[in-house]
Amino acid sequence: RELARVFAHLRQDKDVRAVILTGAGKAFCAGADLNSPPDAVLQATDSTDALQSNPVHQISLCPVPVIGAVNGYCITGGLEIALACDWLVASDKAVFMDTHVKFGLAPCWGLSQKLPRLIGYGRAQMMSYTAGNVRAAQAKEWGLVVEVVKGE
């Protein structure tokens, strides 16, 4: 919810020319807390209240380029947030995974449409059905990221 609020605020700031979205520590974003999983119905709804707290929706409304800088793990909901960015740059330490199926969750923020458009239907199915990881070099080869840079 905090990320959604930040992007709603950024939309109003006329001095912002671009946004670089990154994570802290070992992950870009590891997704939801599985000890208290989110309500999939609420996340998938188009009600005004739900959209205000939906980070992917708020990123999509951003009037300036949003660049995802992925260093470390980018997993499930984090991958959905990354896919909302206009383009992705990854460190050589980046790892992308869709683990929705592993935990019986449904992607609610567009992953099932966006991922196949970027990397192809077969590769997207493989990522989603196996919950396997895709490292930065492979992500670039597939078109998920536009550039891979040396990590710290």
Side-chain angles (χ1 to χ4, degrees), residues 50-73:
L51 291 176
Q52 285 177 346
S53 63
N54 179 326
V56 168
H57 179 71
Q58 293 300 322
I59 292 168
S60 75
L61 298 175
C62 192
V64 298
V66 178
I67 304 160
V70 180
N71 185 30
Y73 293 98

Side-chain angles (χ1 to χ4, degrees), residues 86-101:
D86 293 301
W87 70 85
L88 298 173
V89 175
S91 85
D92 56 2
K93 298 179 185 335
V95 177
F96 299 87
M97 296 174 71
D98 177 16
T99 61
H100 282 98
V101 72

Side-chain angles (χ1 to χ4, degrees), residues 70 72-74 90-97 119 126-127 132-145 147-148:
V70 180
Y73 293 98
C74 182
S91 85
D92 56 2
K93 298 179 185 335
V95 177
F96 299 87
M97 296 174 71
I119 67 171
M126 189 243 354
M127 275 186 78
N133 67 51
V134 174
R135 300 204 173 272
Q138 189 172 36
K140 183 173 191 285
E141 180 182 318
W142 287 1
L144 180 58
V145 302
E147 191 66 46
V148 175

Side-chain angles (χ1 to χ4, degrees), residues 3 6-8 10-11 16-22 28 55-70 80-89 146:
L3 185 59
V6 167
F7 271 90
L10 287 172
R11 271 201 328 272
V16 174
R17 300 286 183 240
V19 175
I20 298 175
L21 179 61
T22 194
F28 172 80
V56 168
H57 179 71
Q58 293 300 322
I59 292 168
S60 75
L61 298 175
C62 192
V64 298
V66 178
I67 304 160
V70 180
E80 294 204 71
I81 290 170
L83 291 172
C85 296
D86 293 301
W87 70 85
L88 298 173
V89 175
V146 298

Side-chain angles (χ1 to χ4, degrees), residues 1-5 8 11 39 41-58 61 109:
R1 292 185 180 200
E2 183 64 24
L3 185 59
R5 280 193 291 271
R11 271 201 328 272
D39 180 338
V41 174
L42 179 62
Q43 287 194 336
T45 186
D46 288 340
S47 75
T48 302
D49 288 342
L51 291 176
Q52 285 177 346
S53 63
N54 179 326
V56 168
H57 179 71
Q58 293 300 322
L61 298 175
W109 291 341

